[in-house]
Amino acid sequence: MTDMVFGSVAQQPSDPILPRWWQTIDRWSLTFVMILFIMGILLGLAASVPLAQRNGLDPFYYVYKQLFFGIIALLAMIFTSMLSPKVVRRLGIIGFICCFIAICFLPFLGTDYGKGAVRWYSLGFASVQPSEFLKPCFVIFTAWLMASSFEVGGPPGKRMSFLVCVLVVGLLAFQPDFGQASLFLASWGLMYFVAGASLILMFVMFIGVIGVGLFSYNNSEHFARRIDGFLNPDIDPRTQLGYATNAIQEGGFFGVGLGASRQKWGNLAEAHTDFIFAVIGEELGLFGTLATLLLLSILIFSIFKLALRVHDPMVRYVASGFGCWIAIQTILNIGSAISVLPVVGVTLPLVSDGGSALIATYMGIGFVLGAARRDPAIYKELQESGIKWLR
């Protein structure tokens, strides 16, 4: 039926894979991704040297580390963009099961690295944060459940996805990792809305979130400390939030110059990860922060645009979930840096240092780019523009 409406897509089996991939990939989205990748490396070079010296490491240790994981992430994105939605669905289900088991064992085998939240597995030479890899797998798994609920004789997929969401969010809140929990909840909520939301269930979720927030505030010292710090009208200049605020204020309109930040040489320990936006504000000024926001906004817009145009229900839900994930994580990271939101400990997508986050994010973008290549109507448009690009 799809071929009758949109026309069949003729592909020669003998065509080389990479040229066909280049002709049918969304090059504008890919360009913005590469710009953000290069920006992340440059900012890592500017922000991580003081931390490496304080830890007695090579000055460019964190830069080499980010470049290494960044290359792996780019390769993962290219590989994922070549897969069919059916293969991605299978990998997503398997990945969800593996990551879910890994999170269940975090309280017993994980570490908090002195940050108050057990989120990582230490491998000695590196660390792994399973919740980062769980995000793309969770989006794919719940999207598949929602899509299956519309099949004739299919399971109650939307209700099943709700139970999966509650279970995952509960485990993350137990770590405690409320930042990641909010990302999972927001991504699922938007996918559920796109799939046809039940107002009763959405209201129950809203009440539940308020109840869990009040319970966490009264029973979690980690959660209460961050909320109290956010509600306090006076920012302590000796805290990470205080250093980040000072960095942005000193940047002004044009910044002090790339690499010339002073706050990163003080006690802004998370300058290359959670507070990378503060370094952008100090070194590149208001125009640098606006340029970063513009690049991320265009990428997010392109993902949501795909969700509106694609015809496969599962792909539509996945694209919506990924777009919401990147958008909410961007808002949480920047909101924390400029003191309009509590500090939740999430990175700036595609820019901050962090191997697990980089690889997981690029894998999600790769699936979205690959889904566009597989949709008949979008495929024709991309292929035509790709031929023009090569000329």
Side-chain angles (χ1 to χ4, degrees), residues 152-168:
V152 178
K158 291 199 290 186
R159 288 196 291 269
M160 293 171 64
S161 71
F162 171 72
L163 295 177
V164 171
C165 178
V166 171
L167 185 59
V168 170

Side-chain angles (χ1 to χ4, degrees), residues 110 122 133 150 179-180 210 218 241 246 255 300 305 319 338 377 380:
S122 177
F133 293 102
F150 293 97
Q180 295 285 9
I210 295 177
N218 293 321
L241 188 58
N246 291 335
I300 294 167
K305 183 180 178 181
I338 62 178
K380 282 187 174 181

Side-chain angles (χ1 to χ4, degrees), residues 96-376:
F96 174 82
I97 295 173
C98 295
C99 293
F100 182 80
I101 294 174
I103 287 182
C104 290
F105 281 98
L106 268 178
F108 311 102
L109 304 176
T111 180
D112 63 354
Y113 287 108
K115 297 182 179 181
V118 182
R119 305 175 184 176
W120 299 271
Y121 283 109
S122 177
L123 304 179
F125 60 92
S127 61
V128 177
Q129 188 174 355
S131 62
E132 291 289 353
F133 293 102
L134 183 64
K135 277 190 290 190
C137 298
F138 169 83
V139 170
I140 294 170
F141 181 59
T142 52
W144 169 64
L145 289 175
M146 292 181 188
S148 66
S149 65
F150 293 97
E151 298 177 357
V152 178
K158 291 199 290 186
R159 288 196 291 269
M160 293 171 64
S161 71
F162 171 72
L163 295 177
V164 171
C165 178
V166 171
L167 185 59
V168 170
V169 169
L171 286 174
L172 291 172
F174 180 72
Q175 291 182 4
D177 191 349
F178 297 101
Q180 295 285 9
S182 62
L183 291 176
F184 279 82
L185 191 60
S187 298
W188 178 88
L190 182 60
M191 287 192 295
Y192 186 77
F193 178 79
V194 173
S198 167
L199 294 180
I200 296 178
L201 183 57
M202 296 296 285
F203 179 75
V204 170
M205 281 188 58
F206 178 74
I207 299 299
V209 168
I210 295 177
V212 171
L214 292 174
F215 177 82
S216 301
Y217 181 81
N218 293 321
N219 294 274
S220 172
E221 181 181 351
H222 176 80
F223 184 80
R225 183 171 62 251
R226 294 200 168 186
I227 295 297
D228 290 339
F230 168 70
L231 295 177
N232 189 351
D234 299 322
I235 300 177
D236 188 346
R238 298 168 296 179
T239 63
Q240 293 291 299
L241 188 58
Y243 295 127
T245 302
N246 291 335
I248 295 175
Q249 290 175 346
E250 291 180 7
F253 283 96
F254 303 101
V256 297
L258 189 62
S261 169
R262 292 186 293 271
Q263 291 297 326
K264 67 187 180 185
W265 291 99
N267 295 313
L268 190 58
E270 306 294 338
H272 64 308
T273 54
D274 296 355
F275 289 100
I276 190 71
F277 192 77
V279 177
I280 297 174
E282 184 177 9
E283 299 192 351
L284 302 180
L286 175 64
F287 294 103
T289 59
L290 292 179
T292 304
L293 281 173
L294 179 62
L295 290 170
L296 286 167
S297 299
I298 293 174
L299 178 62
I300 294 167
F301 173 78
S302 65
I303 295 175
F304 282 130
K305 183 180 178 181
L306 169 67
L308 292 174
R309 299 176 62 192
V310 77
H311 297 86
D312 187 333
M314 178 190 143
V315 175
R316 186 184 308 123
Y317 306 150
V318 170
S320 301
F322 279 135
C324 182
W325 156 21
I326 297 177
I328 297 299
Q329 186 165 333
T330 300
I331 292 172
L332 290 177
N333 178 274
I334 295 177
S336 300
I338 62 178
S339 306
V340 299
L341 290 174
V343 178
V344 292
V346 297
T347 58
L348 186 62
L350 306 177
V351 178
S352 295
D353 183 21
S356 300
L358 277 176
I359 296 174
T361 305
Y362 276 97
M363 287 175 60
I365 293 175
F367 173 75
V368 173
L369 295 176
R373 298 176 59 241
R374 300 283 175 171
D375 190 90

